Structure formats: C-alpha cells, structure tokens
Amino acid sequence: MGEVSVKKMICPFDCPSSCGLLAEIRDGRIVRVKNDPDHPVSINGICRKMQQYEKNIYSEERILTPLRRTGKKGEGKFEAVSWDEALTEITDRWKVLIAQYGPESILPCMYSGVMSDIQRNCGDAFFNRMGASVLVKTLCSSAKGAGYESVMGKTGCLDPRELKDSDYYIVWGSNLAATRLQTLADLMKPENRHKKKVLIDTYANPTAKYCDQVILINPGTDGALALAMMHVLDKEGMADELFLEQYAEGYELLKKELPKYTPEWAESETGISAAVVRQLAREYGAAKAPAIILGSGNSRHGNGAMTVRLITVLSVLTGAWQRPGGGLCGCTPINTAYVDGTLITRPDFRKQAARRININQLAGALHLTGDEAVRSLYVYAANPVNTVSNQKKLVEGLEREDLFTVVHERFMTDTARYADIILPAAFSAEQSDIYRAYGYCTLGTAWKVVEAPGECKSNWNTFRLLAQYMGYEEPYFQRTEEEMVLYMLDHPTEAAGNCPEEDRQLLRQGGTIAMPLSDHLDIRTKTGKIRIVNEDLKEPVPAYRRNYGGNYPLKLVAAPGIYSLNSTFNERKDLVDSRGAMTLWMHGEDAAVRGIVNGQDIIAYNDLAQVVFKAHVTDRIARGTVVSEGVYTRSQSGNGYTINALNHERLSDMGEATTLNDNTVEVRPA
Ligand SMILES: Nc1nc2c(c(=O)[nH]1)N[C@H]1C(S)=C(S)[C@@H](COP(=O)(O)OP(=O)(O)OC[C@H]3O[C@@H](n4cnc5c(=O)[nH]c(N)nc54)[C@H](O)[C@@H]3O)O[C@H]1N2
Ligand SMILES: Nc1nc2c(c(=O)[nH]1)N[C@H]1C(S)=C(S)[C@@H](COP(=O)(O)OP(=O)(O)OC[C@H]3O[C@@H](n4cnc5c(=O)[nH]c(N)nc54)[C@H](O)[C@@H]3O)O[C@H]1N2
Ligand code: SF4
Ligand SMILES: [Mo]
C-alpha cells in the first residue's frame, strides 16, 4: 500500500460555510475526508454528510461513461457510448434545431449542484455564445435578497463569527442544525450558552432543542409579527430614534402606520398569542446587541420579499446595528465583489437579448408549443424533477418525444432518467476552482486532488468540448481548467487584489482566506441611508400583505432535512436509511378530525397532485400547517410523487423566487 498524502479541498455544496476539507489520499484514491483546521470557519468540524465524502465519490451508483437512452423516457435504460459519439449527436441535433427554430429553442437548466465559481457558472458563457434561452435562476432565496436589499442595499449583514458579541438571538425560520451547522456550533459555545435563543418557525424543527423558547407561527405571516413587535417597541419608547434619524430614512412615515398593527391583530394572523408577541418585543427591545438569524423559509412565499423587508426594518429599529453583534445575520455578509463573475459568464458573448424562462416555471415552459416550444433541454448541476415545483407537469413535459434532453450528472437522478444522452460529471475533488462562501466573508481555491474515475468530466471541460464540436473559437473555450483558475487570480477584483501578499500566495496554492468583515454602518444604498421607506418601490412604505394561501385547509411547508442537501446525498445509503420514510408532520388536532394516527399512510392532495406520506402526528407544529422535511427521490415515495408535486409555479412578490412554502393541501388516510 502506498503512503498517505493529505490535500486541501473545499466543500462544493450549496451550504453557507463552504467548509475547508482535508483529503487523505492513498494510491490515487481518497480514503478519508475531515475538516481543515486552518479554515477560518470549519475549525471545529464538518457535518455528517461530508465526513464520508469518499462514499459519494466511489459510490457503486456513479455514472462513469456517457450514456444513450435505449428504453422509454423515464424508464432508466441506457447504453454506454463514447464521448465523441455523445458530443457528435448532441451538437448535430443542436445545429439542426438552431437552423430550423433558432437558438432560443434550446434551454439550459442549472442550479446549485456545485457552488464553486467557474464550474457553476461557465455554462452561461457557452449558452450566451449560442444565443440560447436565458434561465432565470431563482430557485432559492432571491426574494430574501430583494427584501433585504430594498432596505439595506449592498450593506453587509453580520458574518456569523460576529454572533459571539450578540446578547440575544432570534433564529427566524431557519433550521440551523441542518443548514447552518457552523453557526449553531458558535451559538452553543460555553460563552454563548447563557444567552437566550428564540426559534420562530412553523414547526419545532431539529434546532428547537438548542433554543430556550420556540414560537410556532402560521406560515407566511412573519411580516405581521415583525410589525406588531415594532408597534410595541415604538409605543414603549424602545425605538432608537436618534439612530434612526442619523442612519435611516422614512421612520416617521412607518411610525404613522404602526398603531394599527397591535399584538392582538397579529395574534389573529400569526396564531401567536398577543402576550407572547409583547414578551418577545420587550426582550428584543431590552437587549443591547440582539441578532436576528434569518433563514430563507419565510421568504419562499408570495409575500416573501415584503416579509424580509419588514424583518430587516425591525432589525434596525432599536439601533442594534451600531453595537458589535447586533443586527441581522443570514443575508449576505459581504459588501463587495471578491470575484468578477462576468469573466466566467461572459455576457459579451451574447449578441442579442433572448427570452427568459424562470426555473420555477420549467414545468410550464416544457409545455409551450409552436414557435415558443422548448425543443432541447440541457440540465447540469441540478435535479429539477426533485427540486422544482409542479413535479407532475414537469415530468409530463420531460416525457415529450420531441424534446431532446441532455443531462450532465454524477448519478442516475430522477431527472437523468428522462435524458436522451447522459454525460458523466466529475466531483469537486476531481476539478479545480475558486470558492466564495455565501454566508461568510471568505475566499478560497481548491485544486484537483485526484483524477476522475472512468470518463467523468467537469462542467468546464464538458463545455469546452461542446464548444469545440459547435465550432466556437473564442480563446475562452481554449483554456484548460487550471489556466482558467489562474486567469481569475490574475484578474482580481479590488477587494481580492488588496489582500496581503501571503493571502494571495495561499490562494495560488489552494486554501481559504478570511476577508475583512463588513462595516455595518457603511450603508451601501442609493441614498446612503437605511431605507425604511423606499420610494423606488411600488409600495414605498412597508406594509403587511398576505401570502397566496389557497383553497385547501392545510398550509404546506417544504423544510430542508439533515440527511440530504436538497436532493444531493440520496446516493448515500447510510444517510437515506437514517432518514427513514417520507413523512408529513401534522398537529394532533388536525390529525384527529381526519381520523389519522401517527405512522399511518396518508394522502396529501390539491389541484395539482396527490402524494403519499407517512403521518408524523405531533403537537410541535402550528395548527393548520403540515411540514415535510428533506428532498426525497420518486422511488422513495409511496406513489412516485414527492412534495414538489403539490407546489405551484407562482413567483414571489419581488425577486421572482420560488414560493414552495406557500401552498395548501387537504389530507386523508390512504
Ligand atoms: N442539511 C442540509 N443543509 C442545507 C440544505 C439542505 O437541504 N440540507 N439546503 C441548503 C440550501 S440550498 C439552502 S438555501 C440553505 C437554507 O438554509 P436557511 O436559509 O437557514 O433556511 P432553512 O433552514 O431552509 O429554513 C427553513 C425553515 O424555515 C421554516 N419556514 C418555512 N416557512 C416559514 C414561514 O413562513 N415562517 C417561518 N418563521 N418559518 C418558515 C421551515 O419550517 C424550516 O424550518 O441551507 C443549505 N444547507
Ligand atoms: N421540496 C423541496 N424543494 C426544494 C428545496 C427543499 O428544501 N425542498 N430546496 C430548494 C433550494 S433552497 C434549492 S437551492 C434548490 C436546489 O436544487 P438543485 O440545484 O436541483 O439541487 P440538488 O437537488 O442538490 O441537485 C444538484 C445535482 O447536481 C449534481 N452535481 C453535483 N456536482 C455537479 C457538477 O460538478 N457537475 C454537474 N454537471 N452536476 C453536478 C448532483 O449529483 C445533483 O443531482 O432546490 C429547491 N427545491
Ligand atoms: S456543513 Fe455544509 S459546507 Fe460544511 S461540510 Fe457540511 S455541507 Fe459542506
Ligand atoms: Mo438554496
């Protein structure tokens, strides 16, 4: 047996900390993965999913060669072909489609399978060059971003490392134990243990056991709670009017609206008793440096951006932002660009504007006909059958015989099953890239540590080949992956260029550097002030607006799970086994009136579909709400459909985002 060498990697998944990893390598294979103690964030460890990353990389299920479909769409029958055969077939089909119907008949579909900059975004350059339809990539938290920015502009929010200075925490619609593990670790440190932690969520998610108080709220009503808290703060003289005068604009206009938003009014919207609203507001107002740790759950509603806008305004009301640890955490802590993304996406390659298709409306897009029809779909780093709304209609679209579908994947996902051609994808360990965490002020690089098995290729190398077969001759498509990383390091943004020499050296070698934390009083809005009232918006004064809701009696929430990351990690048997069946949490009273008992098979249904779950009956959920955790595959469900079959394609109020927590269902025994 050869010697063990240790190399640095960075976690490529869609998770806010982009943890540093150390790979132990023997005979060209990774034998173990652990946390990199030199990394600025993941000093204490990494999550259970990534502790055995080698199990994913060397999984028996991995796709190792290009494949051509031999069975019916969806059946999962394929034969191995060479890269040359696959690329020739793909590009021949595309050339015909472009000549006959124009390049907009081709639609790329990507999302967050890999988060490193080049591998994630290089496809944009290829499809810009082609002139293909533009995918609007708003499957995650763009409503949250729009709501925050409408108040704070580009001002950086708290980096979680600053939470050590806070004296009170509100975890608002986030399951830290699953999605922000490094933040939870910080909150549980001995020096922070005694500080009160309040969870506001639709159910007692796995983070509840780390909190001192759990407040259950009706989904989509958080804006009412924020307004009622502001009502109390204003009425009881806890708003910091000096701070608001100096740093913000428009408070006097909002103040006029506050009298009507009483805790009693909020109780009728949120289901939280007026007494608890008052108690929460008073505690929050009494704290010197309270931090609101905001998840994305409550932004995935028809009123999601307005909700985040109201919570952001609440975070400034008591002047918390002027004290270390006070303010809002969970939006973007970075107030400047670390990487010039246009060097990767190359908007200049696109010669004329093309139509935009929102990823949340992919199902509808695949049913367009005539001149508008989508005739080819190229999916990479995404698994829309499991992660995009309106699953049933989406699958019907993918079944179209005249839709030429290519999927670049690591595993036979529910989406890959519908491909005409599958291309085998590399893992992050087998490719090189630049990494920015979205939840921390860090910047890193990681070089390939092992060769890809079989014929797997990275996104960059695949688009390079596709460009070659299409006859695209731009120098961009000639670069190797390593040359592209070096090119990016040689063309730094101002912030990255200003790093100390030793940090720049580290980036060339591979590793993560801590970038300066944002100055939270350096308000980066158009007016230089925090915009409590924003004249650029349709509704300048923030107000309570209801979410879409629906005609069925129970509100349905899709929560993230600990054992998977969106649909990723469904290839890991150990994690899938620990997770268990696809369950639907429901309140004991809601179950009783429907004759449902714990553990029973149940059917949740609405106008879109029926989905079979196991009932998880509990009193730790808001009445009238049902929640399903985690993203399951179709084969793990009782009837071949998962929660997204029950979700509409409607978009949020700002940011064109998913509204996957804003749907209603009825439930009956199966
Ligand atoms: N293990 C694991 N880690 C992950 C992911 C995963 O799937 N698994 N996903 C990754 C991705 S892509 C992202 S974007 C982040 C997301 O991570 P965060 O931004 O921290 O947000 P979530 O944990 O998704 O927040 C979901 C919570 O919001 C609650 N919620 C839903 N609607 C409402 C509402 O109207 N009001 C309130 N108060 N709560 C509501 C849900 O019940 C759930 O507990 O996590 C990333 N990390
Ligand atoms: N019901 C429900 N739906 C959700 C969510 C939820 O919590 N519940 N979360 C939502 C959120 S926040 C998000 S961000 C989206 C995420 O939606 P998706 O981006 O579809 O995320 P994943 O399901 O993780 O699928 C990513 C796929 O990319 C593949 N992949 C990984 N690395 C690479 C690579 O380097 N190259 C290529 N070509 N492929 C690669 C993986 O094998 C995986 O199949 O889902 C959203 N949808
Ligand atoms: S906590 Fe998130 S970033 Fe860290 S190793 Fe796990 S999935 Fe990756
Ligand atoms: Mo996400």
Side-chain angles (χ1 to χ4, degrees):
M1 264 203 274
E3 298 238 318
V4 171
S5 64
V6 178
K7 291 188 179 163
K8 279 182 195 279
M9 304 194 296
I10 297 174
C11 179
F13 293 119
D14 188 349
C15 191
S17 47
S18 295
C19 295
L21 310 172
L22 292 181
E24 294 181 6
I25 298 158
R26 184 190 287 138
D27 301 328
R29 272 173 80 94
I30 297 178
V31 290
R32 198 178 140 190
V33 175
K34 52 185 189 185
N35 71 305
D36 174 1
D38 296 333
H39 187 275
V41 175
S42 52
I43 316 154
N44 302 314
I46 50 173
C47 68
R48 174 169 166 188
K49 305 183 294 298
M50 286 301 281
Q51 279 166 19
Q52 297 182 321
Y53 191 32
E54 70 283 359
K55 282 195 181 163
N56 302 59
I57 299 178
Y58 302 114
S59 163
E60 301 256 301
E61 313 277 308
R62 194 160 167 195
I63 298 172
L64 297 173
T65 67
L67 299 171
R68 179 195 283 133
R69 181 167 62 86
T70 55
K72 283 205 312 221
K73 291 208 178 198
E75 205 182 336
K77 287 198 180 142
F78 294 87
E79 63 182 6
V81 292
S82 68
W83 270 93
D84 179 56
E85 281 172 277
L87 292 164
T88 305
E89 185 168 333
I90 296 166
T91 52
D92 283 356
R93 288 286 292 262
W94 282 352
K95 284 173 196 166
V96 171
L97 287 178
I98 291 170
Q100 247 180 320
Y101 303 106
E104 286 169 88
S105 62
I106 300 169
L107 176 68
C109 176
M110 60 77 72
Y111 208 69
S112 66
V114 59
M115 291 295 282
S116 59
D117 273 292
I118 298 172
Q119 304 298 350
R120 182 172 196 212
N121 298 313
C122 60
D124 283 9
F126 176 82
F127 288 107
N128 281 337
R129 171 66 180 79
M130 177 186 272
S133 284
V134 174
L135 182 79
V136 179
K137 302 165 192 146
T138 50
L139 185 51
C140 181
S141 56
S142 51
K144 183 183 186 180
Y148 175 79
E149 279 193 26
S150 72
V151 182
M152 300 303 292
K154 297 283 175 202
T155 312
C157 71
L158 294 169
D159 179 302
R161 287 169 292 176
E162 297 174 79
L163 295 173
K164 64 178 184 347
D165 297 319
S166 323
D167 59 356
Y168 185 83
Y169 303 106
I170 297 181
V171 180
W172 203 321
S174 183
N175 181 2
L176 304 181
T179 61
R180 293 170 187 268
L181 195 63
Q182 303 295 354
T183 303
L184 182 63
D186 282 342
L187 259 46
M188 295 322 290
K189 284 195 176 138
E191 60 272 29
N192 297 325
R193 276 243 166 107
H194 65 283
K195 302 174 185 169
K196 185 161 180 184
K197 299 165 195 79
V198 181
L199 174 70
I200 303 171
D201 208 292
T202 61
Y203 77 119
N205 70 33
T207 305
K209 65 172 175 282
Y210 303 98
C211 296
D212 304 288
Q213 185 180 3
V214 177
I215 298 177
L216 298 176
I217 187 167
N218 292 333
T221 65
D222 303 58
L225 175 59
L227 280 163
M229 287 173 71
M230 292 195 265
H231 167 102
V232 175
L233 293 170
D234 178 59
K235 201 168 162 196
E236 301 188 3
M238 289 187 280
D240 184 341
E241 297 201 5
L242 274 176
F243 172 81
L244 294 172
E245 199 162 309
Q246 192 181 351
Y247 288 98
E249 59 192 4
Y251 181 58
E252 43 327 317
L253 286 179
L254 175 66
K255 192 178 161 80
K256 282 198 203 135
E257 303 296 320
L258 290 179
K260 66 178 183 236
Y261 296 122
T262 61
E264 285 69 22
W265 163 80
E267 176 172 338
S268 65
E269 288 294 316
T270 62
I272 304 167
S273 78
V276 170
V277 175
R278 280 202 176 82
Q279 163 249 324
L280 180 67
R282 285 174 186 149
E283 282 181 13
Y284 180 79
K288 282 214 155 39
I292 296 174
I293 304 168
L294 184 60
S296 308
N298 59 26
S299 75
R300 294 175 182 140
H301 289 268
N303 62 356
M306 182 62 95
T307 294
V308 173
R309 205 177 151 194
L310 289 166
I311 294 172
T312 306
V313 172
L314 168 66
S315 80
V316 303
L317 216 75
T318 64
W321 285 73
Q322 64 196 319
R323 292 179 283 274
L328 187 73
C329 176
C331 292
T332 173
I334 306 156
N335 66 4
T336 182
Y338 295 169
V339 169
D340 179 357
T342 62
L343 298 176
I344 304 168
T345 57
R346 298 305 296 261
D348 56 308
F349 283 179
R350 191 174 281 277
K351 296 298 172 243
Q352 69 192 72
R355 68 167 162 180
R356 300 161 80 247
I357 292 180
N358 189 297
I359 188 167
N360 296 294
Q361 296 169 333
L362 183 63
L366 295 184
H367 286 77
L368 294 170
T369 53
D371 287 349
E372 292 188 315
V374 173
R375 294 170 196 274
S376 179
L377 183 71
Y378 183 89
V379 182
Y380 60 108
N383 183 10
V385 171
N386 290 160
T387 56
V388 171
S389 291
N390 212 351
Q391 183 181 52
K392 203 163 171 228
K393 188 167 170 188
L394 179 51
V395 165
E396 284 160 11
L398 289 171
E399 279 166 353
R400 271 174 46 206
E401 272 308 321
D402 64 330
L403 177 72
F404 178 61
T405 302
V406 181
V407 178
H408 185 203
E409 246 305 339
R410 312 174 312 163
F411 295 100
M412 188 61 71
T413 59
D414 285 340
T415 305
R417 289 176 168 275
Y418 289 88
D420 294 283
I421 301 276
I422 300 176
L423 300 173
F427 267 80
S428 59
E430 302 149 6
Q431 57 201 29
S432 303
D433 215 336
I434 296 184
Y435 293 75
R436 287 170 299 153
Y438 62 83
Y440 289 81
C441 299
T442 63
L443 174 64
T445 54
W447 298 99
K448 177 203 275 197
V449 301
V450 287
E451 290 301 326
E455 296 173 37
C456 300
K457 289 189 196 304
S458 68
N459 293 353
W460 176 268
N461 286 329
T462 302
F463 282 114
R464 250 189 105 189
L465 283 169
L466 285 167
Q468 188 189 316
Y469 278 66
M470 287 301 287
Y472 301 161
E473 290 176 340
E474 287 76 2
Y476 176 94
F477 297 114
Q478 318 294 327
R479 284 184 204 126
T480 65
E481 195 168 288
E482 288 68 30
E483 283 166 353
M484 188 61 188
V485 176
L486 291 173
Y487 178 84
M488 297 300 293
L489 294 178
D490 290 340
H491 295 79
T493 59
E494 196 184 331
N498 284 337
C499 290
E501 183 51 33
E502 68 189 275
D503 280 356
R504 288 202 285 165
Q505 277 301 329
L506 185 71
L507 288 179
R508 296 190 93 80
Q509 285 159 17
T512 301
I513 62 172
M515 299 289 283
L517 300 178
S518 297
D519 170 357
H520 309 299
L521 294 182
D522 174 11
I523 308 298
R524 301 203 170 184
T525 58
K526 191 170 101 179
T527 58
K529 296 252 183 167
I530 296 169
R531 305 184 80 180
I532 293 175
V533 168
N534 184 332
E535 301 292 346
D536 295 330
L537 300 178
K538 221 165 48 201
E539 275 188 278
V541 183
Y544 181 61
R545 296 285 169 252
R546 287 206 173 121
N547 67 352
Y548 290 122
N551 298 329
Y552 292 85
L554 299 168
K555 299 183 187 76
L556 175 69
V557 167
I562 285 186
Y563 301 99
S564 61
L565 198 140
N566 304 318
S567 79
T568 300
F569 294 97
N570 271 310
E571 65 271 14
R572 276 273 297 280
K573 193 171 176 311
D574 57 320
L575 295 172
V576 168
D577 289 348
S578 304
R579 175 174 68 177
M582 203 168 92
T583 58
L584 194 67
W585 290 51
M586 63 191 305
H587 195 277
E589 289 174 16
D590 293 325
V593 295
R594 291 169 176 80
I596 291 168
V597 295
N598 193 36
Q600 183 177 355
D601 280 340
I602 50 170
I603 294 175
Y605 63 95
N606 61 19
D607 294 345
L608 299 177
Q610 302 196 353
V611 180
V612 176
F613 294 91
K614 281 238 177 291
H616 176 85
V617 180
T618 169
D619 58 357
R620 296 177 61 78
I621 182 168
R623 280 184 194 77
T625 298
V626 288
V627 175
S628 181
E629 272 183 3
V631 178
Y632 286 72
T633 66
R634 295 182 67 195
S635 64
Q636 293 160 348
S637 133
N639 70 338
Y641 289 105
T642 61
I643 182 169
N644 286 354
L646 299 166
N647 294 336
H648 287 84
E649 295 170 60
R650 299 176 297 216
L651 302 178
S652 62
D653 46 352
M654 292 197 288
E656 298 181 62
T658 176
T659 57
L660 62 73
N661 289 328
D662 189 355
N663 293 278
T664 58
V665 292
E666 177 55 291
V667 176
R668 61 177 158 82

